Amino acid sequence: MNSELKRTLFPILCLMFSTSLYAQENAARVSAKLGDGFTIATSDQKFSLNIKSNMALSTGFDLNDDGEITNSNFNIGKARLNLAGNLYGPKLTYSLQFGFAPADTKLLPNGNSAIVRDAVIHFKPNSHWQISFGQTKVKANRAQITSSQLLAFTGRTIVNDQFHQDRDFGFFTEYSHSFMAAKASVTSGEGRDYGPTKDSGLNYTGRLEFYPLGKFTNKGEFSEPDLEHEISPKLMVAGAFTHNDRALRLQGTRGSLASDGTHNLNQYYADLAFKYQGFALQADFMGRNTSRPLIEGGQTIFKGYGYDAQASYNFPSRKWTIAARYASLNPHKDIQSAVNYKHQQQVTAALTYHIVGHKLKAQLEASLYNRKQIVENPYTRWSFGAVLEVGI
């Protein structure tokens, strides 16, 4: 076990041990449920600790135009531990999430590891407001706000992979009412677990959401299949903008360090979600603008836009979901010669069997990728995958 992992696990074990002692001394209530984890709470609900985990076991392979396997993949897609609960009552809460799969433990450009995903304190003075401080998701676009456990597919689109904000450290505020919600944040701009920086600015994000038909059941706007089978139509229409001042990394909160110093990055988002009686429709538009996308030495900041749309249907048994999705990624003409294509398309079909909702499910997926090149010949690639999602 490496030293970074030991430093991460030690405080977690201490918290769990001290909480169990507290429970014994204060007659706290203890409960456990598949997917909802293990919860310890005092009788007055002033303090609670919920411990749960989820993992995704995945396999897949890619085919070229000749039907030959070019890449195979057998791995742990994710392995995460979540701690959350109340501090001195429901108005003050906390959330911690740790990731132990290879994607979460790889080193950042400055040498830090990325094990800690969430470490945030929330203050909720009333039912409308929430003010948060710490590290958590930047609320910019629907596709990324949606938890990976709540997707209709085994992963997100090529568009979201290029433009999403991921997690960052800073101040967050949210206001919610019957037919609208507003979310804003001021964060470091370098992404999760990055730490102190020099010469960089901050990341400013604002998002507005509108619900003309009323709010979704169980925050269904941020889960993809309609497992709730909304009895009346529900619609969310939203937009967001983010300005990353003097960003150090090529994708703002993600990516490699830019070799020529800092860049100002503006990113914009629009999305919608619709659900009714098992049918769900989601669509996203997002893009990035910067004044110097081409960097001497071969680096490129992706300047351009992309969009995607998907539809799914959850059958009345609520066990099976079928879904289809289309995504298009379009680089600006300034960088087409550098990235070597005019646009890339992704078409995906998926089948999900919900053993216990999203907490225990199996998914099969097939994707077709097509890229129109400028210099080289166009290529088409098939990709197949399967995932077993388990929430404990």
Side-chain angles (χ1 to χ4, degrees):
M1 183 180 294
N2 61 48
S3 58
E4 181 66 31
L5 188 56
K6 289 180 180 178
R7 288 195 296 269
T8 302
L9 289 176
F10 181 72
I12 298 174
L13 295 174
C14 288
L15 177 61
M16 294 169 64
F17 179 71
S18 61
T19 302
S20 64
L21 291 179
Y22 184 89
Q24 295 175 15
E25 295 175 359
N26 294 273
R29 291 178 292 183
V30 179
S31 62
K33 185 179 180 181
L34 177 66
D36 293 331
F38 178 81
T39 302
I40 303 172
T42 57
S43 57
D44 59 8
Q45 295 294 313
K46 286 188 175 181
F47 176 77
S48 65
L49 169 64
N50 173 256
I51 306 168
K52 63 182 179 180
S53 63
N54 64 301
M55 60 183 175
L57 309 178
S58 63
T59 181
F61 58 92
D62 299 332
L63 300 178
N64 60 18
D65 288 343
D66 298 323
E68 300 169 334
I69 296 178
T70 58
N71 179 56
S72 61
N73 181 30
F74 295 83
N75 71 356
I76 302 171
K78 63 182 176 185
R80 295 170 185 169
L81 176 66
N82 302 273
L83 308 177
N86 294 343
L87 290 171
Y88 306 108
K91 289 187 176 182
L92 190 64
T93 63
Y94 65 94
S95 178
L96 296 104
Q97 185 183 90
F98 304 89
F100 302 104
D104 286 327
T105 56
K106 64 184 179 182
L107 295 180
L108 299 172
N110 64 352
N112 290 347
S113 66
I115 291 176
V116 181
R117 296 174 60 80
D118 288 329
V120 61
I121 299 291
H122 304 289
F123 175 58
K124 302 177 181 179
N126 52 52
S127 60
H128 299 301
W129 285 96
Q130 176 175 283
I131 302 168
S132 307
F133 176 66
Q135 179 174 286
T136 189
K137 278 187 177 182
V138 176
K139 304 299 193 299
N141 63 307
R142 178 212 63 84
Q144 188 64 25
I145 297 173
T146 301
S147 169
S148 60
Q149 193 174 11
L150 305 179
L151 301 179
F153 301 85
T154 63
R156 298 180 172 91
T157 68
I158 55 175
V159 177
N160 185 78
D161 290 345
Q162 179 57 243
F163 297 115
H164 80 267
Q165 289 286 295
D166 196 43
R167 288 164 165 83
D168 206 359
F169 190 99
F171 293 91
F172 304 80
T173 184
E174 300 182 20
Y175 175 80
S176 177
H177 212 278
S178 301
F179 296 100
M180 63 85 64
K183 303 173 182 180
S185 61
V186 179
T187 58
S188 71
E190 274 64 61
R192 60 188 176 97
D193 299 329
Y194 203 85
T197 59
K198 183 181 179 181
D199 300 327
S200 67
L202 298 175
N203 188 35
Y204 306 90
T205 302
R207 175 178 170 86
L208 287 174
E209 300 168 357
F210 298 96
Y211 301 84
L213 304 177
K215 290 291 185 70
F216 289 66
T217 303
N218 297 328
K219 297 183 179 180
E221 66 270 36
F222 297 117
S223 67
E224 292 190 342
D226 183 20
L227 295 188
E228 293 80 8
H229 284 243
E230 296 282 2
I231 59 176
S232 63
K234 292 292 187 292
L235 174 68
M236 178 191 73
V237 180
F241 180 81
T242 179
H243 172 70
N244 198 325
D245 180 47
R246 290 170 288 155
L248 295 172
R249 304 173 71 178
L250 298 179
Q251 293 171 290
T253 57
R254 301 174 295 119
S256 303
L257 290 174
S259 61
D260 65 342
T262 62
H263 293 254
N264 291 331
L265 305 181
N266 293 319
Q267 300 194 160
Y268 44 89
Y269 306 89
D271 51 71
L272 65 84
F274 174 83
K275 289 186 174 182
Y276 181 52
Q277 294 187 351
F279 173 77
L281 173 69
Q282 288 94 14
D284 307 272
F285 178 86
M286 56 194 89
R288 179 186 298 122
N289 188 35
T290 186
S291 60
R292 296 182 291 115
L294 299 177
I295 300 172
E296 187 175 349
Q299 288 184 313
T300 303
I301 296 176
F302 193 98
K303 177 182 178 181
Y305 68 94
Y307 55 88
D308 58 60
Q310 65 184 58
S312 63
Y313 180 70
N314 180 253
F315 288 88
S317 67
R318 307 196 183 192
K319 291 294 185 180
W320 293 95
T321 297
I322 55 173
R325 180 173 70 189
Y326 173 82
S328 177
L329 190 59
N330 304 273
H332 190 274
K333 62 181 181 180
D334 291 349
I335 68 165
Q336 288 178 0
S337 60
V339 299
N340 204 32
Y341 67 91
K342 291 182 179 179
H343 71 265
Q344 181 176 353
Q345 302 171 85
Q346 177 190 30
V347 181
T348 306
L351 174 66
T352 302
Y353 178 57
H354 303 270
I355 303 168
V356 184
H358 287 293
K359 299 167 185 177
L360 182 60
K361 64 183 181 181
Q363 293 180 292
L364 293 174
E365 181 178 286
S367 291
L368 174 65
Y369 296 85
N370 178 266
R371 179 180 290 179
K372 290 190 175 181
Q373 301 278 6
I374 293 176
V375 178
E376 298 177 2
N377 294 326
Y379 82 84
T380 300
R381 185 179 79 229
W382 283 94
S383 178
F384 299 88
V387 167
L388 177 63
E389 179 91 34
V390 182
I392 302 172

